[in-house]
Amino acid sequence: MTSQPKSYHLPRQILFFMLIGVIIFSGSGFYTFQQIASRLDAGAASNSRDRVKEGLASLQTHVRLFSKDYNNWTDVYAAAWRGDIEFIANNYGITANQGEIFELAMMFGGPFRRPVSWIENGSRSPGGLIFSVETISSALMALEDQDETRPSVDFFAVEGGRAVIMTASYLLPDPDQIVTRDTVKASAVTIIGRHLSSRDLAVIEQDAGISDLQITTGPKPGYLSMPLTDVTGRDTLHLIWKAARPGMALVEQLAPVIAIVAAAFVALATLATWLVLRNARQLILREVEARELARTDALTGLPNRLAFNEAVQVEPTTVASEFALVMMDLDRLKQTNDVLGHAVGDCVLRDFSERLQLCADAETFVARLGGDEFCAIVRGSGAAERAQAFLAVLEVRCSKPVKVRGESVHLSFSAGIAAHVLSEHVDETLRKADLALRRGKSALEERIGIYDVDMDLADKSTLLLEQGLRAALRNPDEFRVVYQPIIPANHNGALRVEALARWTNPILGAVGPDQFIRVAERTGLISELGWIIIDKVLADLATTQTVCASINISPLQLMKPDFVSDLLLRLNRAGIETARIQIELTENVMIRDQQAILDRIREIRSAGVKVALDDFGTGFSAISYLTATEFDSIKIDGSLLRSAGDSQSREDFFYSVVSLSRAVCRDVVVEGIETQEQAQMAKNSGADAFQGYLYGIPSAFDIACGLHSSPDLNARSAISGKADNLPNLIQWSETRFQNNATILKLPLVMHPAASKS
Ligand code: C2E
Ligand code: CA
Ligand code: CA
């Protein structure tokens, strides 16, 4: 549910960057090495080309020098003009015949009417044309283009399929004789040539440090080449050779070393990557642990508030997600801590958490928000109904008390459910669930609040009442206590009244106790209010010595740890005997933690204060309470009597409840008697006392006690403390009970309905 932290991608990122690093490093290393090698090779290649060029140039120079030597020769020049071919053959042609300096020689033009030529191993008598016409004409053109006084042209030619190094020039007198341009033009042209031999190639090979130097018709792959250009600048043949490759040699030499270094580098990089990855994984694990820890409640192991907040905030983004929030509050954790110690409290929390988790299915997320607060997110369709089912199961699981250190602690909780409404912000759902929980907490019977709109409206009026109540608690004069008499059937005993709280707020007006008591309970103000009422009752009781008062006590006040000691302290301070007080507890109090309530009742009774079970027959009456506890009184709710008039079976039921109550309790009071018929039925039931508008509506203390405008002034003095006047008061009550006619005459403020009857 939580988003994955960035660091979970760390191992992949590390691997990626390490790999990139290795690739870049080895790639650049390889590239640099390769560059060095190829530069070395390129350097060697260009060097070899220069050397080959030099070798060729030196051969060419050789030919040119001989050409200069042989063609600027006065004797031969004169012989040509004389027509002495033999002289030329013996001194010039013989050199070509012998092939030592040049192997081909030809003269034409000038004094020669036909070309004369000599070739190596040829005859002394001259031959004719030995060079191609193309070569000759090109050479002639090149010669004519020259500005020199003794022009010459060096070139290559292919003659007879072989490469020949040639020089063309004019046959002229010795260089010490000055020749004119005209003389030159009129002279014979000579061309001497020398075959490019394998010996020449071997010399060049050796000088240039190359191998496999060949003459070919074109370049060849894997070989360096250089064209041999003819006199017109056209490529005739190519020289090709293999140059030394020092780069390659270096590569070959260093390859094993490089391989070892590369392997070591890769190994180191792998090791470094592994170490970094291992550390990264440990870091991530630690981070995951820390995240878990930060989101886990240390005591219960449940997700904590942070985890809940994250989980709940994710919800609205999930498309069409249906979910309900359940807020839960464990009862009486503080008391458990205070009375049994924190270790026991912790056990209770842990036990409750376990039960909570057992109730959660795969779609339910449970968390402890802190203290006694828990929550659940129920997801999926029908979330609200499933949330209720979840709580029902939890209630069943909690029915078994927690056994810890010999103590048996009852588990109970209040809860609130709110279904998430699409488009509503989750905070609003949270607020609703909280409101529903508050409702569940303050309700006596249904401890599970399910949010509806009325709750919000009620909450607003509750808020108004709460504000009024808080102000009133600072000004207790707004509260009054009225009393309603409880009339004994046997006309004996002290006069009993039930104290009922009244509140008149300057703004809200008179607010009914049903309303403000509930608000006080919900807002936690009930104890404070309860003590104000008790103090007022004690003040009224202090004005008499005999009247006994029943005081309604909210279970929330009853269960306060110091309730009994506080009550006794106040009784003592007011000088009231404990026996003059009876506490009325509505029977619905029993649906809360029974054991704790029963213990508290026993504590109160052992202090001498009486306890009545109020409104019996209305709610979740369980006969077992009646046998389990001895209440001093049981008050049968008026609704039972009212419905008894409806049918025989209901009448029978009413009688049964009274007689059942009488079987376990000495004092059974029938409440809410409004008519003569009801009074008769109540009497017939055998009840011990009666209460209702027929006998007296709730009124001021002295009126309820029959002291105000009493026919017998002694009675007033009796209540003010004179014990000897007690019989008068009893007598007065009896009269009133026995004869309805007298009631009208009695100083009681009658209920309109009763007055009419
Ligand atoms: P309750 O304890 O059952 O009190 C009796 C209620 O029945 C009183 O209503 C009383 O006025 C009314 N009643 C008396 N006779 C008749 C009758 O013949 N017919 C009908 N229909 N009603 C009759 P009230 O005073 O409005 O009090 C309502 C409830 O408020 C009480 O019910 C009690 O539960 C609670 N309450 C009143 N005062 C206090 C108090 O000081 N502390 C606490 N904790 N609760 C109080
Ligand atoms: Ca009552
Ligand atoms: Ca009652």
Side-chain angles (χ1 to χ4, degrees), residues 377-407:
I377 306 170
V378 181
R379 297 184 210 97
S381 61
E385 291 74 27
R386 289 187 19 249
Q388 287 183 53
F390 163 77
L391 286 178
V393 175
L394 183 62
E395 275 193 315
V396 172
R397 281 199 184 274
C398 288
S399 59
K400 222 171 100 197
V402 180
K403 301 267 190 231
V404 47
R405 298 187 179 185
E407 301 285 349

Side-chain angles (χ1 to χ4, degrees), residues 484 486 498-500 550-553 583-586 612-615 635 671 691:
Q484 188 175 32
I486 301 166
E498 177 178 359
L500 296 161
S550 264
I551 308 174
N552 295 287
I553 297 292
I583 278 167
E584 291 196 10
L585 298 174
T586 168
L613 181 63
D614 200 2
D615 302 338
K635 299 185 80 175
E671 291 188 294
Q691 188 181 348

Side-chain angles (χ1 to χ4, degrees), residues 522-576:
R522 262 184 217 162
T523 52
L525 299 172
I526 188 66
S527 257
E528 215 178 323
L529 173 64
W531 289 122
I532 289 176
I533 304 298
I534 290 171
D535 285 343
K536 285 182 186 278
V537 173
L538 294 185
D540 284 334
L541 286 184
T543 61
T544 76
Q545 281 190 337
T546 52
V547 179
C548 297
S550 264
I551 308 174
N552 295 287
I553 297 292
S554 159
L556 297 177
Q557 185 182 8
L558 176 83
M559 292 316 290
K560 290 272 153 143
D562 299 331
F563 174 74
V564 182
S565 54
D566 270 8
L567 180 68
L568 295 179
L569 193 80
R570 283 162 201 260
L571 280 168
N572 190 34
R573 230 174 14 214
I576 310 288

Side-chain angles (χ1 to χ4, degrees), residues 422-499:
L422 263 173
S423 83
E424 165 185 275
H425 194 274
V426 71
D427 286 352
E428 176 61 8
T429 320
L430 272 168
R431 185 194 69 80
K432 288 176 177 177
D434 271 331
L435 178 60
L437 170 64
R438 267 191 284 140
R439 197 50 70 88
K441 259 197 227 175
S442 58
L444 291 179
E445 302 123 54
E446 193 47 74
R447 310 292 313 283
I448 296 168
I450 299 167
Y451 174 84
D452 59 39
V453 184
D454 289 345
M455 255 185 206
D456 260 331
L457 293 175
D459 200 49
K460 285 196 183 94
S461 57
T462 302
L463 197 71
L464 275 178
L465 285 178
E466 182 189 341
Q467 285 165 349
L469 260 182
R470 283 189 194 279
L473 290 175
R474 289 191 296 271
N475 177 24
D477 286 349
E478 285 184 25
F479 299 103
R480 253 179 336 118
V481 184
V482 292
Y483 299 85
Q484 188 175 32
I486 301 166
I487 310 300
N490 60 9
H491 328 305
N492 288 328
L495 177 63
R496 283 160 73 192
V497 288
E498 177 178 359

Side-chain angles (χ1 to χ4, degrees), residues 619-640:
F620 297 82
S621 318
I623 304 297
S624 58
Y625 304 151
L626 293 180
T627 49
T629 326
E630 305 112 58
F631 285 99
D632 296 283
S633 279
I634 293 175
K635 299 185 80 175
I636 311 295
D637 194 74
S639 60
L640 245 65

